[in-house]
Amino acid sequence: MPVLADIFSAGNTLKRRMKDFAANPGAFLETEVNYRNQKAGEFNTLQDLATQGDINKMRGLPVTPDQQAAELRLRDIVAGAYNPMGITVYHGSRHLFPKFDPKKMGTGEGNQSYGVGAGYTAEAKPVAESYKRMEAEYRKMTGGMEPDVEYAYDLVAKGMSDPQIIDNFAYKYGSQMDFDKAINAIKTAKQYANEGYLYKGDIPDEIISKFLDYDAPLKNQSPEVQTLAKSLGMDLEDLGGDLLGKVGKNVKGTLQMQDAGIKGIKYLDQGSRGKGKGTSNFIPFSPDDFKIQEINDEPLEAWLKSGRLKVDESDPLMQFLGQK
């Protein structure tokens, strides 16, 4: 059963789609066709890989990692068919908020290597979880962890179990190991590792095709991207990253892309870049294009209704949830 945040996101997505269609039916339909063709191509590629994996299983041959990943991705696509109004992405942060703040564009963690937007989001949950741990990393960098806790924290961050961490403590300290101290260090390290906030949210499906794809040739991208590229005298054989370099990886460049009708930037994440395919990160330009549904696996409305998260009472989200 959908939660209120799902209904809120789906309802607003539908209204945006109707408004876009009414404003320019031809452009709307062209974008829809481009997007559906893109998704169909992805689906066919995944289906071919997954089918080959099934054949390998029947023949007693090993299934490759790409074939396994394709099968899992197909399952996600089929599951997503029951919620077709958006793509699910994640965002990790030290800070608690109900939605991205446009005033903070360009001020986030990192060097904004792929451009400036409302915020960086990840299709792969572990990518966002690494940013959720920034509070603990900051504590670690500023000397806010005891040596034993820092040692335990590094092992917790690697996904080690308690027995494995104890074994590492025993190897490190030998006969000098204090078992109780090690247990307390692990407990404190886990508390630090759980600091920060993991946001799960939705980017409307119909605007994804209007994102600049950093890794794809311009000729395979949306009319909005191609029109801007042509106006700058670029060759459509160039990549999306070349266009981003042309307009600039700064707020001025983002505004120029927004004016051209581009909705954000998409690029392969670190784990996928070497393969040239896989999961991507998404940078929506507008904070309204990332609808937060959950924070730390708890529905957004629960945070709002409990008072743990405050927003302006005039905010439409608060009015929708019946907050006064």
Side-chain angles (χ1 to χ4, degrees):
M1 181 178 179
V3 297
L4 282 177
D6 295 328
I7 298 170
F8 181 72
S9 177
N12 277 275
T13 297
L14 184 59
K15 284 189 284 186
R16 283 197 301 271
R17 290 167 69 90
M18 293 173 66
K19 184 177 179 181
D20 288 345
F21 178 76
N24 193 332
F28 176 85
L29 292 174
E30 184 179 5
T31 299
E32 286 289 298
V33 170
N34 287 337
Y35 174 72
R36 299 306 164 191
N37 285 339
Q38 176 185 330
K39 297 297 282 186
E42 178 192 8
F43 185 85
N44 289 336
T45 300
L46 292 171
Q47 192 172 42
D48 288 343
L49 280 170
T51 299
Q52 188 58 53
D54 289 337
I55 293 173
N56 285 359
K57 289 177 187 177
M58 289 187 291
R59 292 177 175 175
L61 299 173
V63 179
T64 69
D66 282 349
Q67 291 165 351
Q68 290 176 331
E71 182 177 351
L72 292 174
R73 179 63 179 149
L74 277 175
R75 291 177 187 175
D76 288 342
I77 290 175
V78 172
Y82 293 96
N83 181 26
M85 286 299 189
I87 181 173
T88 298
V89 289
Y90 301 88
H91 173 81
S93 175
R94 295 170 50 196
H95 307 290
L96 179 62
F97 49 80
K99 69 178 182 178
F100 285 148
D101 185 348
K103 295 191 294 295
K104 292 188 162 91
M105 284 177 64
T107 64
E109 303 289 349
N111 57 8
Q112 308 293 339
S113 300
Y114 293 91
V116 173
Y120 278 50
T121 66
E123 193 176 6
K125 190 175 181 179
V127 173
E129 286 176 330
S130 68
Y131 283 94
K132 174 182 179 290
R133 293 193 293 267
M134 288 303 294
E135 181 68 35
E137 294 293 337
Y138 177 78
R139 189 190 298 271
K140 177 180 169 182
M141 287 189 298
T142 55
M145 288 187 190
E146 294 293 326
D148 283 350
V149 174
E150 182 177 334
Y151 182 66
Y153 170 78
D154 288 337
L155 300 178
V156 168
K158 291 178 180 178
M160 287 192 181
S161 65
D162 288 4
Q164 289 174 317
I165 297 174
I166 292 295
D167 286 344
N168 276 269
F169 265 91
Y171 181 80
K172 179 178 175 67
Y173 293 105
S175 60
Q176 302 300 314
M177 175 185 169
D178 184 327
F179 186 82
D180 289 337
K181 188 175 181 180
I183 292 295
N184 288 331
I186 294 171
K187 181 179 179 181
T188 303
K190 285 184 174 180
Q191 290 174 346
Y192 289 157
N194 287 327
E195 289 179 329
Y197 304 95
L198 179 69
Y199 298 83
K200 175 183 175 182
D202 165 274
I203 296 177
D205 254 357
E206 75 276 7
I207 72 167
I208 294 298
S209 64
K210 295 183 181 181
F211 273 50
L212 171 67
D213 190 333
Y214 186 94
D215 304 289
L218 296 172
K219 65 181 181 181
N220 296 337
Q221 301 201 39
S222 70
E224 292 82 4
V225 169
Q226 293 186 22
T227 299
L228 177 59
K230 289 176 183 177
S231 73
L232 296 172
M234 297 185 67
D235 190 322
L236 294 186
E237 296 293 335
D238 291 339
L239 299 177
D242 297 319
L243 175 57
L244 181 59
K246 188 83 170 178
V247 300
K249 301 177 183 180
N250 49 37
V251 173
K252 182 179 178 181
T254 292
L255 293 175
Q256 185 175 358
M257 287 186 283
Q258 278 188 297
D259 287 342
I262 297 171
K263 297 295 187 179
I265 301 166
K266 167 188 175 183
Y267 64 96
L268 290 170
D269 60 34
Q270 187 174 4
S272 303
R273 182 157 292 278
K275 304 175 187 176
K277 58 184 178 181
T279 50
S280 297
N281 294 335
F282 296 85
I283 313 169
F285 290 152
S286 169
D288 292 328
D289 286 333
F290 176 58
K291 299 293 185 181
I292 296 171
Q293 298 170 330
E294 296 178 4
I295 303 175
N296 289 350
D297 298 320
E298 193 173 351
L300 175 62
E301 61 264 28
W303 285 83
L304 294 168
K305 289 180 177 179
S306 68
R308 289 171 292 164
L309 180 58
K310 303 283 189 182
V311 298
D312 186 341
E313 291 183 359
S314 64
D315 189 287
L317 178 60
M318 290 296 281
Q319 294 177 5
F320 176 81
L321 294 172
Q323 302 295 298
K324 302 297 181 184

